[in-house]
Amino acid sequence: MKRTIILGIESSCDDTSAAVIADGVLLSNVTATQAIHESYGGVVPELASRAHQQNIIPVVHAALTQANVTKEELSAIAFTRGPGLMGSLLVGTSFAKAFAMALNIPLIDVNHLQAHVLAHFIKEQGVEPHLPQFPFLCLLVSGGNSQIIQVDKFDSMKVIGQTIDDAAGEAFDKCAKVMGLPYPGGPYVDKFAKEGNPKAFQFNKPHIQGYDYSFSGLKTSFLYTLRDAIKENPNFVEENKNDLCASLQATIIDILMVKLQKAAHDLKITQIALAGGVSANSGLRQAFVDYGKRNKWEVYIPKFAFTTDNAAMVAITGYYKYLENDFCSISLPPYARVTL
Ligand code: KG4
């Protein structure tokens, strides 16, 4: 029987990625990251789109080669339509359109946020699948989002809570910057936190109604703690780095998990998944396991390769849309801002 083979393309921010999925099973997932932004302390949109231009063809070529699939065997091409940086999105979108047109195969637009959630449905050769059952809750935490999403079906998701200011990843990155750590700071905080005491410092936690989040108060409280302490001791950050990171991380995790637990309890949902770049955080992953045991949840924690931006999640979303004949027109523009 003919296989359904989807090429996924992701270029929403600073990772150029291509992946091939055949009948729901991942055959390749190739990503070119852009180190150029490190020296600027953040992603520079113009540099990102130029790097995507350089990377896109070699990355797609490598994904097809690794998958041992020819372009003529592809059933459809799925691409990230948004949200993301417009210049970056345009590269992946234009490439996907041109390739689909040249091959005369369907084109599938993918919402980047939906793709993060559906990353849990990627099957891998030789790996026993552990797939969430509907309905499930997904905590999506990244540099741009902090949301609790109720997932009823592949194509039916609703945001039941979200940040009203900064995202959790921004809280990690901005506080890390205050400590003089490189960008993005999240992974550094994670590393130093392993050696620190999470109870050493107390930072403000928000009091927000419902399932929404807020991280701007924590950021300010962190900044003021450091500012006051440095006045007394200029070496305060260096001498307390591990404890500062451990306390910051514990506060962010507590904020995230308390609301998630409330949502799960109120909605009586016990299938709970984690997604997005911040889901690489070792403390958050452990908190999922601990809360899972305590609340009798079945938890779904993504593989590290599927936490940050990747095309495998775009390809799997494309696969499920393909099964529904959910294709898009060649004239569809990318969206910098779009919700679920
Ligand atoms: O989903 P993602 O790759 O893209 C954006 O939304 O931009 O997420 C990136 C975010 C950054 O804020 C980064 O600091 C954070 O994920 N991150 C982490 C860790 N690894 C990545 N935050 C905390 N601990 C980590 N280990």
Side-chain angles (χ1 to χ4, degrees):
M1 212 175 87
K2 195 168 174 285
R3 294 184 297 171
T4 297
I5 306 183
I6 310 292
L7 171 68
I9 292 174
E10 156 65 31
S11 74
S12 63
C13 190
D14 59 341
D15 292 313
T16 321
S17 186
V20 177
I21 278 189
D23 295 330
V25 179
L26 185 65
L27 301 184
S28 66
N29 183 33
V30 178
T31 303
T33 50
Q34 304 177 3
I36 192 163
H37 306 286
E38 277 165 24
S39 54
Y40 294 91
V43 177
V44 183
E46 178 62 24
L47 295 178
S49 40
R50 287 178 195 213
H52 282 306
Q53 275 301 10
Q54 286 181 338
N55 294 339
I56 189 104
I57 291 177
V59 162
V60 169
H61 187 255
L64 289 172
T65 308
Q66 280 185 25
N68 200 18
V69 159
T70 63
K71 56 187 188 303
E72 290 75 22
E73 289 176 279
L74 293 174
S75 312
I77 297 179
F79 68 98
T80 301
R81 185 185 181 194
L85 299 170
M86 185 46 94
S88 292
L89 289 166
L90 272 167
V91 178
T93 304
S94 310
F95 180 87
K97 286 179 179 179
F99 208 23
M101 242 171 129
L103 296 170
N104 198 22
I105 55 175
L107 186 64
I108 301 170
D109 64 307
V110 168
N111 180 312
H112 182 82
L113 304 175
Q114 184 187 9
H116 266 303
V117 176
L118 295 188
H120 285 284
F121 293 90
I122 299 167
K123 292 187 199 132
E124 292 183 275
Q125 279 159 331
V127 180
E128 189 63 33
H130 179 228
L131 312 180
Q133 310 288 307
F134 298 115
F136 67 93
L137 290 183
C138 185
L139 177 68
L140 174 57
V141 270
S142 69
N145 291 280
S146 296
Q147 301 180 324
I148 301 176
I149 301 164
Q150 183 179 327
V151 189
D152 294 318
K153 281 192 254 158
F154 289 113
D155 58 353
S156 172
M157 310 184 178
K158 60 174 179 272
V159 178
I160 59 167
Q162 61 190 319
T163 181
I164 58 166
D165 41 55
D166 289 346
E170 269 179 292
F172 271 109
D173 295 344
K174 288 180 178 172
C175 293
K177 195 172 177 183
V178 174
M179 288 187 278
L181 298 175
Y183 176 85
Y188 292 94
V189 174
D190 192 354
K191 184 174 135 206
F192 294 122
K194 291 195 175 99
E195 309 295 326
N197 173 7
K199 297 201 167 89
F201 299 98
Q202 303 286 315
F203 305 115
N204 279 2
K205 288 186 193 159
H207 300 283
I208 309 278
Q209 292 292 312
Y211 310 130
D212 282 344
Y213 290 119
S214 165
F215 290 99
S216 65
L218 164 64
K219 191 183 63 191
T220 313
S221 147
F222 188 81
L223 181 69
Y224 287 176
T225 303
L226 264 63
R227 189 195 58 186
D228 296 344
I230 289 168
K231 274 189 209 151
E232 305 288 323
N233 171 13
N235 296 326
F236 173 77
V237 172
E238 207 38 55
E239 287 169 11
N240 294 279
K241 196 159 60 189
N242 294 344
D243 286 349
L244 283 168
C245 288
S247 304
L248 170 68
Q249 181 170 299
T251 311
I252 295 175
I253 293 171
D254 192 48
I255 295 170
L256 291 170
M257 295 308 293
V258 165
K259 286 290 172 91
L260 181 64
Q261 181 174 250
K262 178 172 163 49
H265 177 264
D266 293 353
L267 298 166
K268 299 186 175 48
I269 294 178
T270 54
Q271 298 275 312
I272 314 287
L274 177 62
V278 180
S279 63
N281 184 269
S282 56
L284 184 57
R285 295 168 88 88
Q286 187 56 47
F288 251 66
V289 174
D290 297 342
Y291 272 71
K293 277 194 195 129
R294 216 178 307 143
N295 293 291
K296 299 199 169 46
W297 293 345
E298 181 75 21
V299 295
Y300 300 88
I301 301 169
K303 248 183 83 167
F304 279 109
F306 306 141
T307 58
T308 47
D309 292 346
N310 66 86
M313 66 185 195
V314 178
I316 194 71
T317 308
Y319 172 70
Y320 285 106
K321 289 187 89 167
Y322 183 91
L323 298 182
E324 299 294 320
N325 288 324
D326 189 355
F327 307 134
C328 75
S329 143
I330 206 88
S331 60
L332 204 74
Y335 275 149
R337 286 184 166 271
V338 60
T339 53
L340 270 173

